[in-house]
Amino acid sequence: MRDRAARRKRTLLRWWPVAMVAIVGLVAVWAMRRPARVDPTVAMREGQAAVARGNYSAARNHFLAAVQAAPADGGAQLALARTWLLLGEGLAAQGAIDRAASAGVTREALAPWRAAAALAQGDDQGALTAAQAAGEAPVALRAKAMALADMGDGAAGVATLRALLARTPDDAAAWTDLGRVQLTLGDVGGATQAVSRAVALDRRYPAALVLAGEVMRSRYGLIASLPWFEAALRLDAYFHPALIEYAATLGDVGRNADALAAARRALAARRDSPQALYVLAVMAARAGNIALSGQLLERTGGALDGLPGGLLLSGGVDYVAGRYEQAVVKWRALVGTQPMNVPARRLLGAALLRSGDAAGALDVLRPIALRADADSYTLGLVGRAFEAQGKRDWAARFLDRAADPVAAMAAPFGQDDSTAVLAQAVVEAPGDPRAAVSLMRGLLEQGRTGEALEGAQALVRQSPGAPAAHVLEGDVLMAQRRAGAAASSYARAADLRFDQPVMLRLVEARVLAGNAAGAADTLALYLAQNPRDIVARRALAGLQSAADDDDAIDTLERLRGDLGGRDALLLAGLADAYVAAGDPASALPIARAAYRLQPMSRRASHAWGAALSASGDGARGATLLEKAAAITPAG
């Protein structure tokens, strides 16, 4: 008996260390599973440090931990609300403000933040009301200024912010807001100065870096803006505004994998973000996955309804799916808000024609089709609309023009309103350069070029940072056939907003002024920033061909690779380039394909005839060259 007891004792002693290790391990696992008690003071300190670093996402997490540990701490709730506002989350900020009020924070202390929260939720009138109650608090004045600008009174918004900055000149947030309003008003020069001041004051303010990226994108192009968005994301990898701009810009540049990653990160930062879903929908549409694009748009829950980008893409999804009437509704709304949007008019005309409304298509397309510089697609749509009405003579005229569109000098579109109405708009918004530009364009449309030029030059002196003023001056000078002077105006506009319309104007003016090299340099600079732009690549190929530059072949071949082999004019140009380079063997199949696509096109007939003649088939070549001359006689 004693032996058994002794053995049990020896066994227990032998296994005791093992048991102790197991118990310690269990305790450690339990301790790791149990959330560590958060010290709210430490969490607040870490949150404030994260805000100072510009990492608002991390700051939010620290402040959330603080309020979970001490929900009755009004200071912690207010710190969380301010961070939600820095992240652009107005509804979450409103909840934290209400909890801060319940915790004893005074109404006066919360009033400015209520104004900011209303603004972040899109409640402009609520922001104005709350800002009125908050007095002269900088946060409230900033909310008031942005609400005024959102409601259409940008000049009042600028005045409010300038008055604030006169008192607080080192307020980086106010400088950023001023730059945002000025950019919206078209004052790119003013926006540049404002955001430069904001960044100089605080390089750890992500909103300023994002605005700097947008300004750089406007002034110089897509690629120039990327470092600024990347700088913002180095501060806060989940800063939603930076991710959206970064993803959209990457997609336009053609870096699709990077764009997809940025858009997905934006969705992680803000669940079901409409902006992120829109970027993904655009990428899906570009990849040809229209069904996925439509599904992603549906997930936005109507948040993009009424916005130009959402209307354009949603209408495209409906059109491809054969829902032409729905596409008409969306594209008509887009044209209603942007009557000068030529691509939108083309799309609406196509949808109306598909839906059986040929008369409606003609009404929409008439302003484009009657212009000397009308494009072949629009002319073809108009021709088919006349065919649908049984008017074959009219159809033939426009289809012939579509087969061989004339390269005419572009003229600006006119204004729908009378000059009296436009002049009254200037009186009502004296600080808004957009109203003055509209008035001068109305004068230009009436042929009053002298008055228009005088007004345009006055506007340039008044708003030298507004690219629209310089473009207007150039347009008036072009109407007076002063291409050299117009090129100078367009160059100043391009320094402020180097987008496609300004680039095309500058190229055209330089060509007409005899500066082909300068036109080519403009195109090369633009394409360095916008490598996927189809219109710019076509224009570059035209300049190269005119200069007998063999590089035209490479430019046109890359275009054919991107667009496919259904563009007869592109194929004809490529065939001509091969013939000019002394390679008729390569030109023949391309020219033949162009001719089969459009046998009544002068350019296609001439391209095949030239290729046949250069290959030694002079008889057939001469026949086709004669046909080309008959379609469009010389002179």
Side-chain angles (χ1 to χ4, degrees):
M1 194 75 171
R2 284 196 298 271
D3 291 342
R4 284 201 299 274
R7 283 198 300 274
R8 284 198 299 271
K9 184 177 181 180
R10 287 196 296 273
T11 300
L12 287 171
L13 288 172
R14 188 167 61 249
W15 287 100
W16 174 249
V18 176
M20 283 296 296
V21 171
I23 292 169
V24 169
L26 288 172
V27 171
V29 169
W30 178 81
M32 285 188 294
R33 283 183 151 186
R34 182 184 182 186
R37 187 178 180 278
V38 174
D39 184 336
T41 302
V42 173
M44 285 290 291
R45 186 168 60 247
E46 291 175 342
Q48 291 160 356
V51 169
R53 294 195 307 271
N55 191 343
Y56 303 150
S57 297
R60 173 201 54 205
N61 295 339
H62 289 304
F63 291 138
L64 279 170
V67 299
Q68 287 169 358
D73 185 339
Q77 293 286 2
L78 181 54
L80 177 60
R82 294 170 65 175
T83 307
W84 280 124
L85 288 171
L86 289 170
L87 291 168
E89 297 279 6
L91 186 60
Q94 185 65 54
I97 290 169
D98 291 341
R99 292 192 296 273
S102 299
V105 180
T106 66
R107 179 181 301 176
E108 293 75 17
L110 293 176
W113 306 105
R114 290 193 183 281
L119 178 72
Q121 295 176 74
D123 182 5
D124 294 327
Q125 188 57 56
L128 289 177
T129 302
Q132 186 70 27
E136 296 297 306
V139 171
L141 290 174
R142 287 174 48 216
K144 174 185 176 181
M146 300 305 288
L148 287 169
D150 288 344
M151 297 170 74
D153 196 350
V158 168
T160 301
L161 288 167
R162 288 200 182 281
L164 171 60
L165 286 165
R167 291 194 291 113
T168 58
D170 293 337
D171 188 339
W175 281 110
T176 301
D177 287 348
L178 176 61
R180 175 68 63 190
V181 176
Q182 288 175 313
L183 186 62
T184 302
L185 289 173
D187 185 1
V188 181
T192 301
Q193 294 174 2
V195 76
S196 296
R197 184 69 183 275
V199 171
L201 287 168
D202 189 355
R203 293 195 65 86
R204 293 184 176 181
Y205 186 41
L209 297 174
V210 172
L211 178 60
E214 293 179 60
V215 170
M216 290 295 289
R217 187 171 57 196
S218 171
R219 294 192 66 167
Y220 304 114
L222 299 172
I223 294 175
S225 69
L226 293 175
W228 291 94
F229 302 138
E230 290 164 354
L233 292 171
R234 281 195 294 272
L235 297 175
D236 184 346
Y238 287 90
F239 188 58
H240 183 265
L243 286 169
I244 292 300
E245 298 297 337
Y246 191 47
T249 307
L250 288 169
D252 289 341
V253 169
R255 291 171 52 183
N256 295 326
D258 294 335
L260 182 62
R264 285 174 172 168
R265 210 184 328 156
L267 280 175
R270 186 175 295 178
R271 183 181 176 85
D272 288 331
S273 159
Q275 299 94 329
L277 290 169
Y278 172 73
V279 171
L280 290 171
V282 170
M283 294 178 63
R286 286 174 176 167
N289 194 339
I290 303 301
L292 176 59
S293 182
Q295 292 167 9
L296 290 165
L297 286 175
E298 286 180 7
R299 281 183 57 188
T300 66
L304 301 175
D305 290 353
L307 297 178
L311 290 170
L312 182 65
L313 182 58
S314 181
V317 170
D318 288 333
Y319 185 87
V320 173
R323 299 187 294 268
Y324 304 121
E325 289 81 4
Q326 294 180 39
V328 165
V329 170
K330 293 168 183 174
W331 286 339
R332 195 184 293 281
L334 176 56
V335 171
T337 59
Q338 297 182 350
M340 307 301 178
N341 188 329
V342 174
R345 280 187 175 272
R346 291 192 197 108
L347 293 171
L348 176 57
L352 286 164
L353 188 57
R354 286 276 191 171
S355 67
D357 186 359
L362 288 172
D363 287 340
V364 168
L365 296 171
R366 182 178 291 108
I368 311 173
L370 294 179
R371 291 166 58 93
D373 63 337
D375 61 284
S376 60
Y377 181 71
T378 300
L379 295 169
L381 287 174
V382 170
R384 291 200 295 275
F386 277 122
E387 278 186 336
Q389 293 183 327
K391 300 176 181 178
R392 299 195 176 277
D393 289 345
W394 282 100
R397 295 182 189 183
F398 283 94
L399 291 174
D400 286 346
R401 284 182 63 195
D404 192 28
V406 176
M409 186 178 71
F413 279 93
Q415 299 293 321
D416 291 334
D417 295 324
S418 68
T419 52
V421 172
L422 296 171
Q424 182 60 34
V426 173
V427 172
E428 294 173 357
D432 190 340
R434 296 172 299 184
V437 168
S438 295
L439 173 59
M440 295 308 110
R441 291 205 176 281
L443 295 173
L444 178 59
E445 183 185 5
Q446 293 181 0
R448 296 157 65 180
T449 57
E451 294 175 69
L453 181 59
E454 183 179 346
Q457 290 172 338
L459 184 58
V460 166
R461 291 191 296 271
Q462 175 188 333
S463 304
H470 298 283
V471 169
L472 171 64
E473 183 183 41
D475 287 348
V476 178
L477 290 167
M478 286 290 279
Q480 295 179 339
R481 297 294 189 265
R482 298 165 61 187
S488 297
S489 298
Y490 292 146
R492 289 191 291 271
D495 186 52
L496 295 167
R497 188 182 64 210
F498 198 36
D499 59 6
Q500 189 192 88
V502 172
M503 177 273 296
L504 291 173
R505 281 175 163 90
L506 181 54
V507 168
E508 182 179 49
R510 283 180 167 168
V511 168
L512 291 175
N515 186 5
D521 289 343
T522 300
L523 275 168
L525 183 61
Y526 181 82
L527 283 168
Q529 291 290 327
N530 305 274
R532 291 169 56 90
D533 192 294
I534 300 299
V535 173
R537 290 157 68 190
R538 283 183 181 273
L540 177 61
L543 287 177
Q544 290 169 332
S545 297
D548 292 327
D549 186 345
D550 291 349
D551 288 341
I553 293 174
D554 292 334
T555 303
L556 290 166
E557 283 287 15
R558 285 193 294 271
L559 272 171
R560 181 168 65 149
D562 290 344
L563 301 179
R566 302 293 301 173
D567 189 322
L569 296 180
L570 187 154
L571 295 176
L574 179 56
D576 287 339
Y578 273 118
V579 169
D583 186 4
S586 297
L588 271 175
I590 299 170
R592 184 185 302 113
Y595 183 79
R596 286 175 176 171
L597 286 169
Q598 288 190 358
M600 294 307 296
S601 165
R602 179 193 64 83
R603 290 196 61 192
S605 300
H606 187 278
W608 196 17
L612 287 167
S613 298
S615 301
D617 192 346
R620 293 174 64 202
T623 300
L624 285 162
L625 291 173
E626 290 172 3
K627 177 181 178 180
I631 294 173
T632 308

